[in-house]
Amino acid sequence: MRFNIFSAVTAILFSSLASAQLSGKVGPTTSTASKAAKKVCNILNYGGVASKNTDNGPAIASAWAACKSGGEVYIPAGDYGMATWVTITGGTGVSINLDGIIYRTGTAGGHMIIVEHTTDFEFYSSTSNGAVQGYGYVFHAAGTYGPRIVRLVSVTNFSFHDLALVDSPAFHLILDTCTNGEVYNTIIRGGNEGGLDGIDVWGTNIWIHDVEVTNKDECVTVKNPSSYILIESIYCNWSGGCAIGSLGAGTDIHHIEYNNVYTQNSNQMLMIKSNGGSGSVYSCSFNNFIGHSNAYTLDVNGYWSSISPNPGNGVLFYDMTFNNWKGTCSDGATRAPIQFLCPSGAPCYGMSAANFNVWTEASTEVLYKCENAYGSGPCLSSGASHTAYAIQTKTVTAVTGYSITTMAADLKAGFGLSTSIPIPAVPTSFYPGLAPISAKLG
Ligand SMILES: *[C@@H]1O[C@H](CO)[C@@H](O)[C@H](O)[C@H]1NC(C)=O
Ligand SMILES: *[C@@H]1O[C@H](CO)[C@@H](O)[C@H](O)[C@H]1NC(C)=O
């Protein structure tokens, strides 16, 4: 109860900050209704067949060609096989309404659907039942990867919503160099291994909210270069966790804000990851992170050993706030729930961690680790000259106020790699006590 009142208050507080974080309007400039009023290109009229055994790739491409200058590509309820991939390009004022389910049957690499150089675009399901079933387990059982599901490249003024992306053979959704976009009411269910990223985004002025991801890699992750990205109400329901990175030479990332992120059984609640490299990440904030049973929690890691060192003195991190983090980690004595491990060649500064109450499920203490890190909060150095210093570890034997409300049905185990993953419904909550910012359509 106390928690619900608190989140209602923070929701109001952050909705005003929210718009400030974006640099302008996001989403399509005309409605789906006005697009459909112009023209509807039902794939069944362009050679499509509602059958899992038909390749509907060519029909999607033909329907797009007929509607891309204004209209709606319509994939009605039903099952559709897809054996060949499509790159659809040059749309203006066009939507794709996927009420059916697309089943991957082809085995080529690349991406099943690439949409590029398109503006005033909406990819959605009017019933919230639309999905792409990637049948990634067929690859994963054999220890390989296949195509990614959806990639948007240089798409402007767009939205993507009310869809399920399931069991991708590789990454699920990539927003590559996109602008003025919104992604919401989306669920991603992948297998329990690395290389199956949920959402990877780079670009500017993008709002991603009300998204659930299951996999064992990126939940909703910001890549380089990016600015003015707002990410809210994210449910990493057995995932790798959210991140910024990995980062190398020429990093240019700023004005990133994450609010209301719930993470369970993931590699981390948030990692900012680099190893060597150059450039900077600045003016970012991370508020209301809660979770349980995660390996790492807050992990700013300038020496991330899973990538080889990049040329440069290290990526500079500055002016970042981490506020109101709660819950428990798996073992805070083995994996410190706070790590600010900044590069010695570019000590971070202006870091602030406040209201950080994360306790441990195993052991009786948690560690905080700081290295070359300046600012205010646990183990950060307050000095004004930002010189390099060796790792400092603080041991904490009691934390109060860490209890959280868990989500009703946290996934109890990751999805395997050798059996098909069921298609889930788009959920109606992505953070305890919060309804989606926009109501689910279906
Ligand atoms: C995107 O929308 C904005 C209005 O919100 C408009 O000014 C801009 O020209 C649009 N961009 C494109 C590429 O159509
Ligand atoms: C988390 O994932 C599991 C497995 O699909 C699902 O049963 C559960 O409902 C999800 N949790 C929530 C709160 O949606």
Side-chain angles (χ1 to χ4, degrees), residues 187 189 212 214 235 237 264 407-412 415 424 427 429:
I187 183 163
R189 278 287 153 79
E212 177 174 336
T214 296
Y235 182 19
N237 182 9
Q264 69 105 357
M407 294 292 274
D410 283 350
L411 186 52
K412 296 294 187 294
F415 286 105
S429 179

Side-chain angles (χ1 to χ4, degrees), residues 84-120:
T84 56
W85 310 155
V86 292
T87 295
I88 49 186
T89 187
T92 303
V94 51
S95 59
I96 300 175
N97 178 4
L98 172 60
D99 284 343
I101 298 174
I102 295 174
Y103 294 84
R104 180 200 60 76
T105 58
T107 55
H111 299 77
M112 291 176 68
I113 301 172
I114 296 179
V115 181
E116 60 183 20
H117 307 300
T118 287
T119 189
D120 186 12

Side-chain angles (χ1 to χ4, degrees), residues 175-432:
L175 307 182
D176 169 352
T177 322
C178 292
T179 311
N180 306 344
E182 184 176 7
V183 176
Y184 58 99
N185 295 354
T186 289
I187 183 163
I188 289 174
R189 278 287 153 79
N192 189 37
E193 68 173 355
L196 307 179
D197 297 15
I199 300 182
D200 291 329
V201 55
W202 61 104
T204 191
N205 196 39
I206 296 172
W207 189 19
I208 299 176
H209 58 93
D210 300 298
V211 168
E212 177 174 336
V213 174
T214 296
N215 58 2
K216 209 63 197 172
D217 210 320
E218 310 299 343
C219 183
V220 179
T221 284
V222 173
K223 302 207 165 250
N224 187 52
S226 282
S227 57
Y228 301 100
I229 300 202
L230 176 61
I231 297 171
E232 307 187 283
S233 292
I234 303 300
Y235 182 19
C236 308
N237 182 9
W238 199 290
S239 172
C242 292
I244 297 182
S246 38
L247 306 172
T251 295
D252 183 13
I253 297 182
H254 57 95
H255 293 92
I256 310 300
E257 182 170 319
Y258 282 74
N259 300 318
N260 304 338
V261 177
Y262 178 95
T263 308
Q264 69 105 357
N265 272 291
S266 294
N267 302 338
Q268 76 270 341
M269 276 165 54
L270 176 76
M271 177 156 54
I272 302 178
K273 47 187 176 178
S274 62
N275 193 356
S278 58
S280 55
V281 182
Y282 61 95
S283 295
C284 299
S285 67
F286 307 88
N287 310 292
N288 310 334
F289 275 60
I290 66 175
H292 65 90
S293 316
N294 300 298
Y296 289 95
T297 300
L298 165 55
D299 189 13
V300 177
N301 198 330
Y303 292 99
W304 192 50
S305 58
S306 298
I307 53 170
S308 348
N310 286 291
N313 287 339
V315 176
L316 173 63
F317 305 128
Y318 65 98
D319 295 345
M320 295 191 184
T321 61
F322 305 85
N323 189 32
N324 194 34
W325 288 47
K326 282 189 175 58
T328 51
C329 57
S330 298
D331 183 352
T334 307
R335 290 172 168 153
I338 294 183
Q339 296 200 136
F340 285 104
L341 308 177
C342 295
S344 60
C348 57
Y349 61 88
M351 310 303 267
S352 157
N355 306 309
F356 195 100
N357 301 307
V358 174
W359 187 235
T360 177
E361 288 153 30
S363 75
T364 52
E365 59 185 36
V366 296
L367 306 180
Y368 300 154
K369 292 186 178 176
C370 288
E371 180 180 11
N372 310 312
Y374 290 83
S376 69
C379 81
L380 288 159
S381 168
S382 59
S385 67
H386 305 144
T387 52
Y389 65 86
I391 197 159
Q392 295 175 4
T393 300
K394 183 172 164 186
T395 304
V396 176
T397 54
V399 168
T400 56
Y402 61 83
S403 82
I404 58 165
T405 305
T406 56
M407 294 292 274
D410 283 350
L411 186 52
K412 296 294 187 294
F415 286 105
L417 300 173
S418 56
T419 50
S420 184
I421 298 178
I423 297 173
V426 173
T428 50
S429 179
F430 300 83
Y431 189 83

